[in-house]
Amino acid sequence: MTSVWLRPEPDRRRRQPQLSRESITVAAVGLLDAEGVDGLTMRRLAAALGVTSTALYWHVETRDDVLDLAVDHVFGAVPIPEKTEWRADARTLVRGWRRAMLDHPWAAALIGRPMLGPNVLARTEFLQEALSRGGLKDRELTVATRLLANYVIGAALTEATWRASSAADREAARRHVTAACPTLVASRHLAGPERDDDEIFERGLDVILR
Amino acid sequence: MTSVWLRPEPDRRRRQPQLSRESITVAAVGLLDAEGVDGLTMRRLAAALGVTSTALYWHVETRDDVLDLAVDHVFGAVPIPEKTEWRADARTLVRGWRRAMLDHPWAAALIGRPMLGPNVLARTEFLQEALSRGGLKDRELTVATRLLANYVIGAALTEATWRASSAADREAARRHVTAACPTLVASRHLAGPERDDDEIFERGLDVILR
DNA sequence: ACCTGAACACCGTTCAAGT
DNA sequence: ACCTGAACACCGTTCAAGT
């Protein structure tokens, strides 16, 4: 199934329809924040919008479309910084990127769909531009951009997953891993308190941006 | 819902049951390879095993359990290399890790569940051990391990997603991005031919392991 | 153009019952 | 201990019909 971004938006020249892609997207993000991915149902989403579930299909082709829209919406909240020094710019962007995904833990798991939304693309482009200001080009530029992007994605995904599970589960997981391989737990391989994770993430950036 | 790995396996002291966690896992991986995540249905899985769908619930608590088992099974295929020089060891492991996820593109998207399976843990532990042989310890060791692990996860996720989509969709995506932000496409931000991606991934490793 | 209502073909999961 | 069968409460999506 092709992604939303590759298909033209339906004509909309009438006035005051009850629904719009925008309103659907916002409602979807709300539901996802509250209930998680499995909680987002076309019927529940419709109910939240005061409409029949089937009405959504005039604005959107599938449930996956809704998820694509929601993910891109979250990326829209990542601030694109004023340009200063290139390292600082790249750092700020990537930091905001990670923050956004931690604020909406369901989003990280959905990156397993092509990220072609306008907000995602704009952020990626900014990142690449910052790195090119740092003197990188051609192959080096590609490598660096992907390295950074993949690092945030991976970090956000694992951290978001960890935090999305209940405290009880986290405790159980810790005991499980302690029993299975003690060296891992001793070195804090499992995510710990937030401040700690933030620190570790930043040190990773240091290595990359050295 | 707590993950499979945190709950005891049901007693099994009778002889010759038709089903086992092992057989279920293998069948699940087969189905996932053939049909993707949405194609894995408890009913279809049961049919593939010549059994009623409800029979699965004696061996497994939920469909998510099946997914956890399948992911860990895939990790079992990642070779743990003989120990030689630490950099080479880390590289070999991570390379195999990426390969495994590219061979089973559905797996990458499922990492949004705590990775606590025995096979995953063993690989992570090997990676950390290799890095510690390289002289890293404490905070530095944690940072490096997570950096590497998150890089593979991110890279595998984006690449697997890209390859899982049809050739037509990829072409459409390329045109879409070309129109939206030409600089990105010129620099091969979108994944290209396989050899190219392999190369780019390895250069990223160079940076990290420098 | 935009939304409703009824309907189709599925789901995951529970539970009593069989062997 | 392990599996079947019937049943429940949902799903996503289609499509004719309304306005």
Side-chain angles (χ1 to χ4, degrees):
Chain A
M1 189 61 55
T2 79
S3 121
V4 220
W5 316 111
L6 307 177
R7 281 175 276 108
E9 204 166 349
D11 276 346
R12 175 151 317 100
R13 53 194 116 188
R14 263 320 214 297
R15 59 199 172 70
Q16 308 299 57
Q18 311 180 35
L19 253 37
S20 68
R21 282 203 164 173
E22 176 70 12
S23 68
I24 292 176
T25 305
V26 171
V29 170
L31 220 93
L32 286 163
D33 284 342
E35 317 268 4
V37 187
D38 293 337
L40 182 83
T41 280
M42 296 303 265
R43 295 179 210 254
R44 285 211 238 175
L45 179 57
L49 288 159
V51 118
T52 320
S53 79
T54 54
L56 298 170
Y57 288 88
W58 199 88
H59 302 265
V60 130
E61 283 191 12
T62 65
R63 187 183 104 111
D64 281 347
D65 277 12
V66 177
L67 295 177
D68 284 345
L69 290 166
V71 169
D72 194 64
H73 185 83
V74 163
F75 270 89
V78 177
I80 297 190
E82 300 287 318
K83 293 184 190 176
T84 61
E85 193 260 344
W86 71 274
R87 270 176 226 269
D89 292 350
R91 228 194 176 85
T92 308
L93 185 86
V94 164
R95 197 181 279 158
W97 185 330
R98 171 166 169 271
R99 254 278 73 74
M101 321 223 52
L102 291 181
D103 288 344
H104 306 277
W106 48 270
L110 292 180
I111 304 236
R113 337 200 69 246
M115 297 206 292
L116 303 169
N119 290 327
V120 178
L121 288 179
R123 271 75 187 168
T124 312
E125 194 166 30
F126 177 90
L127 177 61
Q128 180 167 280
E129 192 275 338
L131 292 176
S132 82
R133 260 186 290 136
L136 297 179
K137 46 187 182 154
D138 303 330
R139 186 53 139 243
E140 272 185 294
L141 181 58
T142 310
V143 170
T145 309
R146 285 221 211 160
L147 175 53
L148 268 175
N150 288 333
Y151 176 52
V152 224
I153 289 172
L157 182 55
T158 56
E159 287 181 52
T161 303
W162 182 250
R163 282 179 210 181
S165 51
S166 71
D169 280 0
R170 284 202 295 264
E171 190 41 47
R174 218 182 286 278
R175 272 200 305 275
H176 169 76
V177 176
T178 307
C181 24
T183 58
L184 272 185
V185 99
S187 70
R188 311 208 175 153
H189 169 255
L190 259 46
E194 253 197 72
R195 292 200 130 272
D196 226 41
D197 287 346
D198 292 348
E199 248 292 290
I200 292 173
F201 180 76
E202 295 288 333
R203 294 295 75 75
L205 285 183
D206 290 346
V207 173
I208 297 176
L209 296 173
R210 70 83 197 55
Chain B
M1 186 62 56
T2 78
S3 118
V4 221
W5 316 111
L6 308 177
R7 281 173 276 109
E9 206 167 345
D11 275 347
R12 175 151 317 99
R13 52 193 117 187
R14 265 314 218 295
R15 58 198 172 72
Q16 308 299 58
Q18 310 179 36
L19 254 35
S20 68
R21 284 204 162 173
E22 176 69 12
S23 68
I24 291 176
T25 305
V26 171
V29 171
L31 222 94
L32 286 163
D33 284 343
E35 315 268 6
V37 187
D38 292 337
L40 181 83
T41 281
M42 296 304 265
R43 295 180 209 252
R44 285 210 238 175
L45 179 57
L49 289 159
V51 120
T52 320
S53 79
T54 55
L56 298 170
Y57 288 88
W58 199 89
H59 302 266
V60 129
E61 283 191 12
T62 65
R63 187 185 104 111
D64 281 347
D65 278 11
V66 176
L67 294 177
D68 284 345
L69 290 167
V71 169
D72 195 64
H73 185 83
V74 164
F75 271 89
V78 177
I80 298 189
E82 299 288 318
K83 293 185 191 176
T84 60
E85 193 260 344
W86 70 273
R87 270 176 226 268
D89 291 352
R91 225 193 177 88
T92 308
L93 185 86
V94 164
R95 195 180 282 158
W97 186 329
R98 170 166 170 273
R99 253 277 76 73
M101 322 224 52
L102 291 181
D103 288 342
H104 306 276
W106 48 269
L110 292 180
I111 303 234
R113 338 198 70 247
M115 298 207 290
L116 302 169
N119 289 327
V120 178
L121 289 179
R123 270 74 187 169
T124 312
E125 194 167 31
F126 177 89
L127 177 60
Q128 180 167 279
E129 193 274 338
L131 293 176
S132 82
R133 261 186 289 137
L136 297 179
K137 46 185 182 160
D138 303 331
R139 186 53 140 242
E140 272 185 293
L141 181 58
T142 311
V143 170
T145 309
R146 285 222 211 158
L147 175 52
L148 267 175
N150 288 333
Y151 177 52
V152 223
I153 290 173
L157 182 54
T158 56
E159 287 182 53
T161 302
W162 182 250
R163 281 180 210 181
S165 50
S166 72
D169 281 359
R170 285 201 296 264
E171 191 40 49
R174 217 181 287 277
R175 272 199 305 274
H176 168 75
V177 177
T178 306
C181 26
T183 59
L184 271 185
V185 98
S187 70
R188 310 205 176 156
H189 169 255
L190 259 46
E194 252 198 72
R195 292 201 130 271
D196 225 41
D197 287 345
D198 291 349
E199 249 292 289
I200 292 172
F201 180 76
E202 295 288 334
R203 296 292 75 77
L205 285 183
D206 291 345
V207 173
I208 298 176
L209 295 174
R210 65 91 200 51

